[in-house]
Amino acid sequence: MSELTLLSENKVAGGWHRQFKHYSNTLNCEMRFAIYLPPKIELGHRAPVLYWLSGLTCTDENFMQKAGAFKRAAELGMIIVAPDTSPRGDGVPDDENQAYDFGLGAGFYVNATQSPWQQHYQMYDYIVKELPDLIEAEFAVTPQRAISGHSMGGHGALMIALRNPRRYSSVSAFSPICNPSDCPWGVKAFSGYLGDDKTNWLNYDSTHLIKQISHHDFIPALVDQGEQDQFLTAQLKPDALIQAAQLNNYPLVYRSHPGYDHSYYFISSFIDDHLAFHAEYFN
């Protein structure tokens, strides 16, 4: 188990926001994550964990600084963990043109199989295995986990939950990339990280996975989408996910919100609903 180094801490909503770094054996580089510990932790209690996966260009800081989640998380007694969106550091490859949608900041939560990405870009294993093992060894957590995210992170949350339904009590997403094997962002990322065999892409596509999951493994799922989202039609494609869920009678809760866009203004408007949603299934 790697050693944690505290980078910063801030008292907030009666609890603590802390930022750590550690060496990841999965990603072969130093990684950073942020954690919110509600007040009940200092009173000697344990708490369930919500893992938040962020979107393209983001780090561990975006959600923690912009979502406004701490007060409700404190009330609900919930830990929030926000990892980075990709490996980083010297020797970690990036897009040759430093594009925002591939390479650093754009790991897409997959295990890369193609050179030169496979040495570091193993984000699926990091989120599903290494990071939870570290959190559960170092902090006062219960065995309960939920997962959520935004955009690329919404894709990651849905995909990871559908592939590992018994690891999570619930899943939610804001503006997720629902059908990444059939949108420009996803095609670019999957081609680079996974190669040209599109059958391998389907392992990371929630629209495909939600059609395949057994009824015995259904877990509660909530998706919120802004109707003025500039990426709605070309990149996010929620209709594909909705139709796939209906084919499998999956009880997906999908909410469409007039006027809202892709930003953290949207997330901060409905984050309390998502925290309450996860708390219901923790309990």
Side-chain angles (χ1 to χ4, degrees), residues 152-168:
M152 179 186 72
H155 139 73
L158 290 170
M159 174 269 294
I160 285 170
L162 291 168
R163 287 182 59 169
N164 303 274
R166 301 186 185 186
R167 284 185 63 85
Y168 304 95

Side-chain angles (χ1 to χ4, degrees), residues 236-266:
L236 307 182
K237 299 193 171 183
D239 288 346
L241 182 70
I242 294 167
Q243 291 169 10
Q246 290 171 344
L247 286 173
N248 198 18
N249 294 315
Y250 193 103
L252 172 70
V253 178
Y254 177 82
R255 307 191 307 183
S256 182
H257 301 274
Y260 287 93
D261 59 17
H262 198 69
S263 71
Y264 267 84
Y265 294 111
F266 174 45

Side-chain angles (χ1 to χ4, degrees), residues 16 18 20-21 74 77 81 85 113 130 137 140 158 192 194 206-207 218 223 225 240 263 275 278:
W16 288 95
R18 293 188 171 117
F20 292 93
K21 67 178 181 179
V81 173
T85 52
T113 59
E130 186 178 19
L158 290 170
L194 304 174
S206 296
T207 292
F218 285 175
V223 172
Q225 176 63 59
S263 71
L275 298 184
H278 293 297

Side-chain angles (χ1 to χ4, degrees), residues 3 13 32 37 46 50-51 56 85 99 122 180 194 221 254 257:
E3 182 177 346
R32 196 174 72 186
L37 301 168
R46 294 181 176 271
L50 173 65
Y51 290 89
L56 291 166
T85 52
Q122 302 292 313
L194 304 174
Y254 177 82
H257 301 274

